[in-house]
Amino acid sequence: RDDAPKSLAISLATFGSVYTLVCILAGPNPPSFLFDAISPGIGRKVAGFLLWVHVAVSFAINSQALCSSLDRLCFYRVSSMIGLHNKHKTRWAVLTMLVAMSSYFIANAVPFFKDLVALIGALTSVPLTLLLPAIFHRKIIRAPLFTIASRYDILPYLLIVFSLVFLICGIVGSLSSIE
């Protein structure tokens, strides 16, 4: 527990550094789908497999949280009307299937889905991975958000500024790519 700030700082610094490196290596005119920059061959197949694993794991994690919230908010009451009140595994399977099907239909119904995903990513990725941890850290140590009172406040403050810059760049970039 005492090492949490260190591990968070290391992970966020690594994430930010790798992201910056990818942006620099992509050059001034990267392909719209960065995966297309990988030349055909075994490297592209490995990257494709890793991308598939990433998407599958991310969907599994996010859909469980979404299904739990939907079940708590409304599906629990609806399921009692159709006889699934005490059948928890069946109710969960039906709810998960409905979320997966609706995700599939939305992904295929929206003509500019990649732009929508880019905008959603720009609006949520940086705040969830960079901004909120820095703000929560400053709240826990009872430091003002935008004031540097000691030398220990410099890094969390810089993380807030850095994440705000990334957030603005991401939103501007995703909005400018919408055709």
Side-chain angles (χ1 to χ4, degrees), residues 39-153:
S39 59
I42 189 71
R44 187 177 177 107
K45 289 180 182 180
V46 169
F49 175 73
L50 292 175
L51 179 64
W52 179 83
V53 168
H54 167 73
V55 169
V57 169
S58 296
F59 180 77
I61 291 169
N62 290 326
S63 71
Q64 296 306 306
L66 178 62
C67 288
S68 176
S69 297
L70 289 173
D71 188 44
R72 192 173 40 255
L73 291 173
C74 63
F75 195 70
Y76 185 76
R77 288 182 285 245
V78 172
S79 65
S80 65
M81 291 183 232
I82 56 175
L84 294 176
H85 184 68
N86 291 325
K87 298 179 182 177
H88 304 293
K89 290 181 180 178
T90 305
R91 186 177 76 239
W92 193 259
V94 168
L95 185 57
T96 303
M97 183 184 67
L98 289 172
V99 166
M101 287 174 45
S102 63
S103 299
Y104 176 79
F105 289 128
I106 290 170
N108 289 303
V110 178
F112 53 92
F113 187 70
K114 72 175 183 175
D115 296 329
L116 178 65
V117 169
L119 181 60
I120 291 171
L123 289 170
T124 60
S125 176
V126 171
L128 291 175
T129 58
L130 297 174
L131 187 60
L132 289 177
I135 290 172
F136 291 154
H137 171 73
R138 294 192 57 86
K139 288 293 184 184
I140 287 172
I141 64 170
R142 292 185 173 88
L145 278 182
F146 295 106
T147 305
I148 299 175
S150 73
R151 67 183 177 103
Y152 299 108
D153 290 342

Side-chain angles (χ1 to χ4, degrees), residues 19 122 163-176:
Y19 182 80
S163 56
L164 287 173
V165 169
F166 261 158
L167 178 65
I168 292 167
C169 289
I171 291 171
V172 169
S174 64
L175 287 175
S176 67

